Amino acid sequence: MVDFLILGADAAGLSAAVQIKRRLPDSEIRVISKGRIISYGACGIPYVISGDIPTPQKLVHNTPESFERTRGIPVRIRHEAKGVFPQEHSVEIRDLDTGETYRETYGKLLIGTGAQPVVLPFIDYALEGVFNLHTIEDLERVLLFLEEKKPRRAAIIGAGNIGLELAEALFRRGLRVQMFDIQPEPAFLWPSMIRKAVTAKIREKEIEFLGGTAIRSLERRNGRLVLTAQDNASFEADVVFSVVGTTPATGFCRDTLNTKKNGAIITDRHGQTCEPDIYAAGDCASVYHCLLDRNVYFPLGSTANKMGRIAGINMSGGDIEFPGVIGTQIVKFFELSLAKTGLSQEEAEKEGFRVRRYSAARLDKASYYPGAEQAKVEIVCEDDSSVLLGAVAVSEANAVQFIDAAAVAVFAGMDIRDLAWFDSAYAPPFAPVWNALISAALKASKV
Ligand SMILES: Cc1cc2nc3c(=O)[nH]c(=O)nc-3n(C[C@H](O)[C@H](O)[C@H](O)COP(=O)(O)OP(=O)(O)OC[C@H]3O[C@@H](n4cnc5c(N)ncnc54)[C@H](O)[C@@H]3O)c2cc1C
């Protein structure tokens, strides 16, 4: 029996393993991973396709060998968990190379198996030129195809974050890009200010976006891929990407542990599941949202790293509670950075808050300083208390400066008067005195 068994060798799993080893250096820890490549930044995948990052290897932080050498933790790759048996403290594991199945027993178990791409039932993903984009192995296949076949027309099904990052990457490689989404607008899960900015950028770049289009079939005809929509309109492409979201990779333990409807393992703020010796973290698990005061599914690398670290500390005798997420995220689309924290007006109203919304547009540096770019920020506050509930930022500069300040304010429960006068940094090359976030807060506090 190993003291600690970790399923998954990426953000959540390895963060947990490292914490356990740091706190209990003599304990026996074993990491099991279905994939061949461990410890990498999936978030960088689009930038390898665009050519900003020269090779997939640049995304890899550790190999199994280097991880064992530097951290003293062995990793078994190409081993897949097939079932969890809490009574016996064991996991059924299949060696994907030999086909052999065996049981591994544990003292404490961490599930960090991430998510898997949603597959569309009418797509044969084995067709040449048809791809998901989720793992570094997917990336390697895509790069090989792009280099060998030199496709000219790409179709992307799904205009969420990954679809948009991919559209930019393919455009910058010189492909003609067509995007399809069942929703009327791109970036459908983002607030309207961001959807509008994305729509305008798509037009500017002459990417074709077909909203309200449900692709119903995909086949290879006369050497080309043909997509057919619900109204029988058909579209040709040389390469097709299906990026329509992810679902927790928990098929092997859904019957054993409490999960949300989508299969995300329910954990408390310590990362513990309904079984006391089983923890879960990352894209396979739900996470506490402190504005909504409930668990949500919000799969992001930032949260996977934090929750993995917290679970690892608690598994090895610590006692640390995750304060929760508030929905902070940022994405790049060509020159734009698009960011959000807390609740948008639509989300806040859906949750029953009465809110007010204010926006302001300002340059991100002193107006006379070269390279100053427009930034637009929208804030949402609770009507009665004036407490900040959320912010949205769109900028051709880096929106992180507004969104991280707003995230701290939302998290701390600050009201808009404090936000309007907070002691922000100013020097012409970096920021103006009255930036877009502060200006929106000034408007909101009617000063
Ligand atoms: C293209 C792309 C861009 C992204 N961009 C961003 C971004 O900009 N910002 C951001 O915050 N997030 C981003 N993400 C999301 C981020 O990558 C994930 O949230 C993060 O990787 C989740 O970490 P994880 O450890 O939970 O899961 P994963 O990284 O998915 O790792 C899961 C591990 O579990 C293993 N595994 C799976 N099933 C089993 C099994 N049954 N048995 C054993 N092992 C198993 C896998 O092989 C892998 O080692 C992006 C993701 C993609 C794909």
Side-chain angles (χ1 to χ4, degrees), residues 363-373 426-432:
L363 290 171
D364 74 313
K365 303 180 176 65
S367 56
Y368 50 80
Y369 195 82
E373 299 285 1
Y426 160 65
F430 301 115

Side-chain angles (χ1 to χ4, degrees), residues 58 110 148 189 197 213 268 358 366 375:
K58 289 271 180 203
L110 183 278
E148 277 185 357
L189 293 175
T213 305
D268 65 13
Y358 301 88

Side-chain angles (χ1 to χ4, degrees), residues 8-30:
D10 202 19
L14 296 184
S15 297
V18 166
Q19 289 307 313
I20 297 168
K21 192 71 183 174
R22 188 173 66 89
R23 295 166 53 85
L24 300 174
D26 297 330
S27 61
E28 196 185 347
I29 308 170
R30 180 161 302 143

Side-chain angles (χ1 to χ4, degrees), residues 7-13 32-38 40-46 79-82 112-115 133-135 162 165 249 252 281-284 299-304 330:
L7 306 179
D10 202 19
I32 299 289
S33 177
K34 179 174 144 188
R36 178 171 50 84
I37 301 170
I38 69 160
Y40 64 91
C43 313
I45 287 175
H79 281 60
E80 182 178 7
K82 290 294 197 184
T113 46
L133 193 65
H134 189 70
T135 63
I162 295 179
E165 290 176 345
F252 65 96
D283 286 9
C284 64
L300 280 178
S302 44
T303 312
I330 186 162

